[in-house]
Amino acid sequence: MKIGNKEFVIGERTYIMGILNVTPDSFSDGGKYNSIQNALNHAKTMIEEGVDIIDIGGESTRPNHTAVEAEEEINRVIPIIKAIRKESDIPISIDTYKGKVAELAIKAGASLINDVWGFKKDPYMSEVAAKYNVPCCLMHNRDNTYYNNLIDDIFNDLNECIQIAIKAGVKKENIILDPGIGFGKTLEQNLKVMNNLHRFKELNFPLLLGTSRKSMIGNTLNLPVDKRVEGTIATSVLGVINGFSFIRVHDVKENLRAVKMTEAIMKAGV
């Protein structure tokens, strides 16, 4: 899979997607990186630490977040995408569910769409992905937590996302899937998804896991947002063991070390 000008060999190793929230209200780091210079400095730090992709988001998706108009989201993310692109050729992902935002982000230098609604929120999103022929990550999400069979229902929901994408002309080889930890799921359901990560290989698409500092970890360990690194690392290790190709995290250095260690053990054989 080509993201930007870099080749990602699916199945060879687990790649690190670093989170750059340029929002005033994100649950973990709201307000820290919403100036161009601060965002650029943080991007440079992540690159030094070995990040493979930088995921830029201009609207918080935390529970009970305040929705942002597309114009405001554009004003937040576009200058920062352009600033990073001037300094580095690191692949940039745009974290949005709005087609207009994604389109302008791609024109500014982003090369992957990361949609927390899996193309179900904005019909234009699938058109943008097809038009610009960029990879896209379709995340599982729903506006309730009622499931007949949790994993099977998530599979059905994700298959709907896949069909929306393919119908719009998105190439199958450009699709990544995300089980959506923390979205449309209770704590118990999130933990159950984590315990069934191996099942998602059945979908036959590259997989992305995004658990970093989320409430699943905070509620399990009874820890605030800034004390969830170890809990996140545990989930990242599970992602590697279960064949996930991408891990989306705030703490690049720590998670990358854990990923590399896990991969070294797995490659050692018996």
Side-chain angles (χ1 to χ4, degrees):
M1 176 178 286
K2 194 168 187 182
I3 304 174
N5 61 2
K6 299 204 173 175
E7 290 287 342
F8 290 76
V9 182
I10 303 304
E12 184 179 81
R13 69 180 183 89
T14 300
Y15 298 95
I16 302 291
M17 176 185 278
I19 299 167
L20 180 54
N21 289 318
V22 293
T23 58
D25 59 341
S26 287
F27 80 95
S28 174
D29 50 9
K32 287 180 74 174
Y33 309 119
N34 57 347
S35 78
I36 293 176
Q37 195 55 54
N38 285 352
L40 187 56
N41 289 343
H42 188 53
K44 287 178 178 177
T45 298
M46 289 195 287
I47 291 167
E48 288 168 6
E49 291 177 346
V51 79
D52 296 295
I53 305 167
I54 293 178
D55 189 45
I56 299 177
E59 176 179 344
S60 172
T61 51
R62 62 181 171 78
N64 304 314
H65 75 282
T66 303
V68 173
E69 293 296 325
E71 290 303 324
E72 173 63 24
E73 196 175 338
I74 288 163
N75 290 337
R76 291 176 181 179
V77 301
I78 300 303
I80 289 167
I81 292 171
K82 288 180 176 177
I84 294 171
R85 189 46 70 238
K86 278 183 183 177
E87 300 279 338
S88 171
D89 65 348
I90 190 80
I92 295 173
S93 165
I94 178 65
D95 179 359
T96 186
Y97 56 85
K98 302 182 184 80
K100 185 179 179 183
V101 178
E103 183 167 38
L104 290 176
I106 292 165
K107 288 180 176 179
S111 43
L112 185 145
I113 296 169
N114 184 18
D115 185 349
V116 298
W117 279 101
F119 289 2
K120 288 184 176 180
K121 205 75 166 176
D122 181 358
Y124 187 51
M125 184 65 96
S126 56
E127 293 179 36
V128 170
K131 178 181 177 181
Y132 294 93
N133 191 29
V134 292
C136 49
C137 182
L138 309 178
M139 194 193 81
H140 177 262
N141 203 346
R142 54 163 64 185
D143 55 12
N144 63 74
T145 58
Y146 305 111
Y147 298 87
N148 291 316
N149 181 291
L150 180 66
I151 304 302
D152 288 347
D153 289 356
I154 291 173
F155 278 24
N156 290 334
D157 290 349
L158 283 172
N159 278 315
E160 289 174 7
C161 298
I162 294 163
Q163 291 311 309
I164 291 169
I166 289 174
K167 190 175 179 182
V170 175
K171 295 175 183 173
K172 191 176 179 184
E173 58 266 29
N174 273 344
I175 296 174
I176 301 165
L177 299 179
D178 178 346
I181 296 295
F183 290 82
K185 301 169 190 69
T186 64
L187 171 59
E188 184 182 350
Q189 288 166 346
N190 282 314
L191 292 171
K192 188 171 181 179
V193 171
M194 287 300 305
N195 196 35
N196 283 273
L197 290 181
H198 62 282
R199 290 281 313 277
F200 288 84
K201 295 292 283 184
E202 297 169 21
L203 293 166
N204 292 315
F205 284 93
L207 300 168
L208 180 146
L209 185 65
T211 60
S212 188
R213 301 183 186 173
K214 287 185 176 176
S215 60
M216 174 188 73
I217 296 164
N219 291 333
T220 300
L221 301 177
N222 193 27
L223 289 172
V225 168
D226 61 346
K227 304 289 185 188
R228 299 176 185 173
V229 177
E230 299 90 346
T232 299
I233 288 170
T235 62
S236 294
V237 168
L238 283 172
V240 176
I241 291 169
N242 286 288
F244 276 62
S245 297
F246 303 91
I247 304 286
R248 181 181 180 273
V249 296
H250 297 86
D251 305 288
V252 171
K253 178 178 65 178
E254 295 85 348
N255 281 276
L256 179 55
R257 287 175 178 173
V259 165
K260 284 183 173 178
M261 191 67 220
T262 307
E263 288 174 339
I265 294 166
M266 290 175 69
K267 286 175 181 174
V270 292

